């Protein structure tokens, strides 16, 4: 409840549209920010766990949230349905019976003990922007579909982005047999949710009928806050290389083996970690993380003989990432040689970068400028539903500043003032492309 109180709190530099002189647009007066913040609070109360927000894909809270979101869509002048993969799809019909559709949205599933903005923000902004058009009797020369995706966080099943992939036509039907921790398969969970998994392939969109997909989302990082900007336009979603480095040394007695005679796997790994960090720091948008390190069988009085650590390398440029992977592999080998150990980086998982469409992104940036903000372009280090549409339909993303860059945490926060700017930008974007 203290979070609820915090939502209304203004911080220095977080002024609403009116305070920044955008009153002439009328959006400040329409109170997008406060309305959206209130709805996010309402949605955050729909949880699988008492006292904290956990809304797993196809769980009971997801079902309730889907109904709530569908009711908001209908109130905003849309027809609403739950599709075969559990997405809530709201449709605001076009002015004429033209064939084109613009998709907006984000996701309503969450991690465990989540914040209220990740995903939900993009869904609620889209609904409110359509509602404003509906209330003023405005139609566009294209239909708008607002999609509340259901499987973005990948908490319940092994694969993820099932909702967006079904629309993209790239859903792998084998994923229906994935079984979660509770012993329930994806197929069973879909049926329990009220979906018909046998109709899943019918949800695939026709790329020639879709203008594109535009998603607003909290940044989940600290860059916009550092630059004192309420919104930013995403350039690309980072590609990822993930794997495991295994360092083999020689275990020995901590007291009896003199320092020059050791092959200490952990000390070698430590040198590798610093070298990896330095390599990532040498380029602006390259990041590398060793998030987990194990010393199997390690004890206080044993020289470590074996170390394994995970490695996650990301960049919006695939060439840059692959070069970094190659350099890091060479560095690991060189450090291993110099220390008398052996080491190997085994790549387990690779995803190419997904590039936002220049045309849609420029329109989004110009729309934000109309709302009084010159947004910066920035890559997304986190994955999003939008990446499922890479090379299928054009897509663009608008990031909203979040306090301290904190996400996947109940302390996650975006101010009503910043949300107002994002809603203004999205609404102006619709007018521009119309
Ligand atoms: Zn998200």
């Amino acid at each position: 409840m203290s979070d609820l109180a915090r939502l209304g709190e203004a911080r220095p530099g977080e002024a609403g549209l009116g305070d920044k002189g955008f009153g002439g647009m009328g959006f400040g007066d329409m109170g997008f920010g406060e309305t959206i913040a209130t709805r996010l609070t309402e949605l955050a109360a729909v949880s699988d766990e008492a006292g904290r927000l956990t809304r797993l894909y196809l769980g009971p809270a997801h079902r309730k949230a889907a109904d709530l979101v569908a009711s908001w869509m209908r109130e905003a002048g849309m027809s609403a349905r739950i599709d075969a993969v559990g997405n809530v799809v709201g449709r605001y019909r076009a002015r004429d019976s033209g064939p084109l559709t613009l998709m907006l949205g984000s996701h309503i599933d969450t991690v465990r003990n989540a914040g209220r903005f990740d995903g939900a923000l993009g869904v609620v902004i889209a609904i409110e922007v359509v509602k404003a058009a509906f209330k003023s009797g405005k139609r566009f020369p294209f239909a708008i579909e607002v999609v509340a995706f259901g499987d973005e966080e990948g908490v319940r099943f092994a694969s993820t982005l099932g909702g967006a992939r079904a629309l993209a036509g790239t859903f792998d039907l084998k994923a229906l047999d994935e079984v979660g921790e509770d012993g329930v398969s994806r197929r069973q969970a879909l049926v329990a949710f009220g979906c018909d998994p046998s109709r899943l392939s019918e949800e695939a969109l026709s790329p020639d009928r879709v203008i594109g997909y535009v998603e607003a989302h909290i940044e989940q990082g600290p860059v916009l806050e550092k630059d004192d900007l309420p919104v930013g336009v995403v350039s690309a979603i980072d590609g990822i290389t993930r794997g495991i480095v295994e360092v083999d040394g020689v275990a020995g007695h901590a007291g009896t083996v003199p320092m020059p005679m050791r092959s200490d796997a952990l000390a070698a790994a430590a040198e590798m970690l610093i070298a990896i960090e330095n390599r990532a720091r040498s380029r602006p948008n390259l990041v590398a993380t060793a998030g987990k390190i194990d010393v199997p069988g390690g004890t206080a009085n044993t020289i470590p003989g074996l170390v394994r650590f995970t490695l996650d390398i990301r960049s919006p440029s695939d060439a840059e990432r692959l070069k970094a992977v190659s350099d890091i592999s060479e560095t690991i080998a060189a450090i291993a040689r110099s220390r008398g150990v052996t080491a190997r980086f085994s790549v387990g998982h690779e995803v190419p970068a997904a590039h936002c469409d220049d045309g849609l992104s420029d329109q989004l940036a110009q729309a934000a400028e109309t709302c009084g903000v010159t947004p910066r372009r920035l890559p997304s280090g986190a994955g999003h539903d939008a990446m499922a549409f890479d090379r299928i339909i054009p897509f663009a993303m608008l990031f909203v500043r979040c306090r301290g860059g904190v996400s996947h945490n109940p302390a996650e926060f975006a101010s009503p003032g910043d949300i107002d700017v994002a809603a203004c930008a999205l609404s102006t974007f619709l007018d521009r492309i119309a």
Side-chain angles (χ1 to χ4, degrees), residues 408-429:
H408 285 189
N409 183 311
E412 194 175 86
F413 179 79
S415 76
D418 290 354
I419 293 171
D420 226 21
V421 175
C424 173
L426 192 60
S427 180
T428 308
F429 169 85

Side-chain angles (χ1 to χ4, degrees), residues 106-107 109 118-119 152-153 215 217-218 220 383-385 408:
S106 192
H107 60 97
D109 64 318
D118 180 358
E152 199 275 340
E153 297 290 3
E215 174 168 357
H217 201 284
I218 54 164
Q220 300 181 281
H384 295 288
D385 290 293
H408 285 189

Side-chain angles (χ1 to χ4, degrees), residues 108-400:
I108 55 169
D109 64 318
T110 74
V111 294
R112 293 195 170 90
N113 198 21
R116 72 188 60 197
F117 298 88
D118 180 358
L121 176 67
V123 173
V124 176
I125 285 182
I127 293 172
E128 289 301 315
V129 163
V130 171
K131 188 167 82 182
F134 177 60
K135 295 281 184 212
S136 62
K138 192 193 291 179
R139 294 278 166 184
F140 302 92
F142 45 82
I144 297 174
E145 281 197 353
V146 176
V147 187
F149 292 103
D151 180 28
E152 199 275 340
E153 297 290 3
V155 177
R156 188 164 179 189
F157 299 106
S159 64
T160 185
L161 299 181
R165 289 207 171 111
L167 268 57
T170 57
F171 184 93
D172 182 355
L173 291 174
K174 287 201 287 286
L176 288 173
D177 297 318
E178 289 172 354
V179 177
E181 269 174 19
D182 56 1
V184 177
S185 74
R186 189 184 275 266
R187 188 191 311 274
Q188 291 165 328
L190 278 168
V191 171
F193 199 77
C195 299
D196 180 356
S198 72
R199 310 197 68 147
L200 208 143
S201 51
E202 294 169 27
E203 300 295 352
L205 53 81
S206 306
D208 53 338
R209 293 184 170 214
V210 178
I211 297 167
Y213 170 70
V214 179
E215 174 168 357
H217 201 284
I218 54 164
E219 182 203 342
Q220 300 181 281
V223 175
L224 292 174
E225 186 170 71
K226 182 178 136 283
D227 288 356
D228 196 23
L229 285 170
V231 296
V233 173
V234 177
S235 54
I237 299 173
D238 281 2
I240 306 177
T241 298
R242 198 176 288 165
I244 289 183
V245 178
E246 188 166 296
V247 186
D248 275 297
V250 179
H253 194 289
T256 61
V257 184
M259 296 307 287
M261 300 176 71
R262 297 183 177 201
S263 298
D264 183 330
L266 184 53
E271 191 176 334
M272 290 168 192
L273 295 183
I274 298 299
I276 292 164
E277 186 185 48
N278 286 336
R279 176 63 178 83
R281 280 182 173 174
S282 71
R283 303 292 300 164
N285 287 322
L286 179 68
V287 290
T289 308
K292 188 169 184 285
I293 185 160
D294 289 317
V295 185
T299 64
N301 60 355
T302 304
I303 301 162
L306 176 64
V307 168
R308 287 191 197 102
F309 63 90
T310 60
L311 197 49
D312 176 307
I313 301 168
R314 304 186 189 208
S315 167
S317 156
D318 288 333
E320 172 115 63
R321 173 175 52 85
L322 295 172
K323 177 78 170 75
V325 169
S326 154
D327 289 352
I328 284 170
S329 299
E330 280 177 25
T331 303
I332 285 171
I335 292 170
R337 275 195 301 278
S338 75
R339 286 183 160 269
V341 299
T342 58
R344 203 166 78 92
F345 177 25
S346 315
V347 173
H349 173 77
E350 239 173 335
V351 181
H355 294 277
C356 298
D357 179 71
D358 287 337
L360 291 177
S361 299
D362 288 348
Q363 291 287 359
L364 209 44
Q366 284 158 22
E369 277 186 42
T370 308
C371 300
V373 175
T374 304
R376 69 165 283 164
R377 304 285 177 118
L378 71 170
S380 173
H384 295 288
D385 290 293
M387 64 200 274
F389 298 115
D390 189 37
R391 296 178 183 92
I392 310 267
I393 53 166
F395 71 90
M397 287 192 74
L398 184 70
F399 268 175
V400 182

